[in-house]
Amino acid sequence: MRKTKLWSFLLGVDGILVDDVTYEEESRTLVVSARPKAGKRNRCAHCKRRCGKYDNGDGTRRWRGLDLGTTFAAIEAQAPRVRCPEHGVVVAAVPWARHGSWFTRDFEDQMAWMATNMSKSAISNLMRTTWRTVGKVIARVAKETGAKVDRFANLKKIGVDEISYRKGHRYLTVVVDHDSGRLIWATPGKDEAALNAFFDKLGEDRTAKIELVSSDAAAWYTAVIQKRCPKARLCLDPFHVVKWATEALDEVRRDVWNDLRKSGRAKLAESLKRSRYALWKNPENLTPKQSIRLAEIAQVNKPLYRAYLLKEQLREVFKIKGIHGIVLFDKWRAWARRSKIAPFVELAKNIKHHRTGIVATLAEGLTNARVEAMNTKLRLITRIAFGFHSPEPMIALAMLRLGGLCPPLPGRG
Ligand SMILES: [Zn+2]
């Protein structure tokens, strides 16, 4: 009995009886031969209901646990099958692992925690697994923790967006809770079906309680949102509006650069090419070198610098928000229209059609910072997830990192 107590403690597992402990020299693994305690035996892996034993399954199996120091550790046990009236013939549940896994629960929880806090290579090296295995593990963990919490409770303000990955060939549709700042839903694809799936999952009652939906200006979003929650106020995500201005600015920069090159001023053209990031970045994040570059642009290239100011002014609109933001927005439109800078004249013309959505955003006080931060983090996750073989582990990683689904570190919850 003392043996059982010691090993349940070391492995962090309740409800097991330990029969034997051996050390396998070749694989440098401590093998703990165990079985579930009487009350935990012969239970369906899905509903945990007590069932009749069906057969011995594939016999003895091994589950890898957290290393003990530098030594591998594994639990070895029989894996019989049971017949559940609801789920049919399934491998019986074991108290130390999730269904379908070859790792212990603690091993998987630690891996999930690491995936939200550490780099890809650090996890693979420390846990001695491949990145693909990490993907499978976190998908399992996120599925379980996601089923335990109600992510859709008290939803009032949501943001819908799409994130491209695999060099823009694939998409995820994501939904964010503006109040908590959390990611609450992500699914592959960017079409009506993807967004409809969210509202289906949310259910009619809760959908009716949604007061505000922000998204980009794509028509298909608007159509689905208007159909599914007609009472919600439609807002335009500040992130996308500022992005239009950034794109217009980049167009101006390219034109100026081309003109300089064609007129033989190669040195100036080259310096402008390097100033791309200085123009893109938010001024508060500029490095001293980039600030100097920007000052140079102000000196030698007035239209480009004015284009930069136009972009920054539009960002300012969403920082100020409220009624003052709306006034500033209308002033901005007038300024852009008269700017004689073609891409901004064009933008002023197009943005007119989105005034209602932008005014709603400003009146509701939606800030760009949060949406922009979420986009940046999601883009990073899609890059880290490269190497997973399906979108599920990537979605799991996003939910663990940004959806608050990460389990606590084993032994420290
Ligand atoms: Zn069952």
Side-chain angles (χ1 to χ4, degrees), residues 44-49 51 84-88 90:
C44 167
H46 301 291
C47 60
K48 303 290 180 295
R49 193 189 310 196
C51 307
C84 169
E86 197 187 332
H87 299 101
V90 287

Side-chain angles (χ1 to χ4, degrees), residues 214-231:
S214 75
S215 70
D216 76 10
W220 70 267
Y221 277 135
T222 320
V224 176
I225 296 162
Q226 273 170 341
K227 191 168 162 230
R228 299 300 294 258
C229 38
K231 282 188 200 146

Side-chain angles (χ1 to χ4, degrees), residues 225-298:
I225 296 162
Q226 273 170 341
K227 191 168 162 230
R228 299 300 294 258
C229 38
K231 282 188 200 146
R233 196 163 187 196
L234 273 174
C235 297
L236 199 55
D237 255 336
F239 175 74
H240 294 285
V241 183
V242 174
K243 209 169 130 198
W244 294 339
T246 311
E247 282 162 6
L249 170 63
D250 211 35
E251 217 180 306
V252 179
R253 188 192 56 86
R254 270 199 312 269
D255 289 346
V256 172
W257 178 70
N258 270 327
D259 287 348
L260 286 174
R261 234 170 19 121
K262 280 178 199 154
S263 61
R265 284 178 288 175
K267 213 174 157 197
L268 217 53
E270 189 52 37
S271 128
L272 189 64
K273 201 174 172 188
R274 285 198 305 266
S275 64
R276 199 167 167 203
Y277 289 102
L279 289 165
W280 272 358
K281 261 191 174 175
N282 301 340
E284 59 271 23
N285 301 333
L286 287 177
T287 64
K289 217 172 167 185
Q290 286 167 334
S291 299
I292 294 170
R293 205 146 261 170
L294 208 55
E296 278 169 9
I297 292 173

Side-chain angles (χ1 to χ4, degrees), residues 32-36 59-63 75-80 94 96:
V32 179
S33 304
R35 63 208 144 92
T60 309
R61 270 176 65 173
R62 248 179 213 195
W63 289 261
I75 296 178
E76 194 173 74
Q78 295 294 316
V94 289
W96 53 82

